[in-house]
Amino acid sequence: QLQLVESGGGLVQPGGSLRLSCAASGFTLDYYATGWFRQAPGKEREGVSCISSSGDSTNYADSVKGRFTISRDNAKNTVYLQMNSLKPEDTAVYYCAVREALGCSPEYDYWGQGTQVTVSS
């Protein structure tokens, strides 16, 4: 059964860092582009970042450029989102999603359950 599990969320002070992980099971990530999304209370879901299946292409939302870094380790079947210099407005549930495609896509086929990130002092 194809499954995505996010982890690494939590409570962090402004300026702090977290690393989110998206672990895949039941399939290999090698052929899947992966995206990270977030949804804050009362707001629509927004795309944060994505990475191609090979890892040689990445995209970032303007709001996180220079602070977040997406990466993947296909040997571990895992995609990561390193989040630095976190701000209160980064507070949201973060989701990973995959699509069987080489490059980033506006649409994704499979989604994880999400992990909560709260940035607060």
Side-chain angles (χ1 to χ4, degrees):
Q1 180 180 358
L2 190 149
Q3 190 174 16
L4 294 170
V5 178
E6 301 96 336
S7 62
L11 173 64
V12 64
Q13 292 186 343
S17 299
L18 285 174
R19 187 177 80 156
L20 304 184
S21 298
C22 173
S25 62
F27 71 107
T28 177
L29 277 175
D30 294 39
Y31 307 107
Y32 288 78
T34 305
W36 281 98
F37 298 79
R38 66 186 181 186
Q39 187 165 22
K43 295 187 177 181
E44 293 187 355
R45 186 176 63 199
E46 64 170 337
V48 174
S49 182
C50 68
I51 188 167
S52 62
S53 59
S54 65
D56 60 359
S57 178
T58 58
N59 290 326
Y60 297 92
D62 288 343
S63 58
V64 306
K65 278 182 182 176
R67 300 188 298 123
F68 290 11
T69 303
I70 192 171
S71 62
R72 66 190 303 148
D73 186 340
N74 285 350
K76 294 183 178 181
N77 226 23
T78 301
V79 173
Y80 304 97
L81 185 68
Q82 177 67 43
M83 307 187 296
N84 298 330
S85 302
L86 282 161
K87 304 175 181 180
E89 50 263 45
D90 294 317
T91 296
V93 178
Y94 283 71
Y95 302 88
C96 65
V98 298
R99 180 175 177 86
E100 192 171 3
L102 295 177
C104 291
S105 170
E107 296 182 357
Y108 289 82
D109 300 317
Y110 305 102
W111 293 78
Q113 294 299 307
T115 184
Q116 176 71 47
V117 171
T118 303
V119 185
S120 175
S121 55

